[in-house]
Amino acid sequence: MKKTTCAACDCELGAETITVKLGGKTVEVCCRECAEALNEAEAATSAASSGKE
């Protein structure tokens, strides 16, 4: 059996996972807090890169 871990905190994923889409890729996280953290990080990265040309 393959064990998978949360994309945000590296905790082992259980039966209840949340799917988050980041930059065209789909990742799984263990909880709503990790999903929000990844979405905030992507938003900050997108804002920073769009400000630099």
Side-chain angles (χ1 to χ4, degrees):
M1 177 184 248
K2 181 182 174 187
K3 292 184 180 180
T4 56
T5 58
C6 174
C9 70
D10 289 332
C11 291
E12 189 174 323
L13 293 175
E16 300 291 322
T17 61
I18 299 172
T19 303
V20 179
K21 211 161 200 193
L22 298 173
K25 294 185 179 180
T26 302
V27 297
E28 291 182 328
V29 294
C30 62
C31 63
R32 187 176 313 268
E33 289 81 16
C34 286
E36 290 173 4
L38 286 181
N39 284 326
E40 289 173 6
E42 181 184 34
T45 302
S46 296
S49 64
S50 66
K52 296 178 182 178
E53 291 185 16

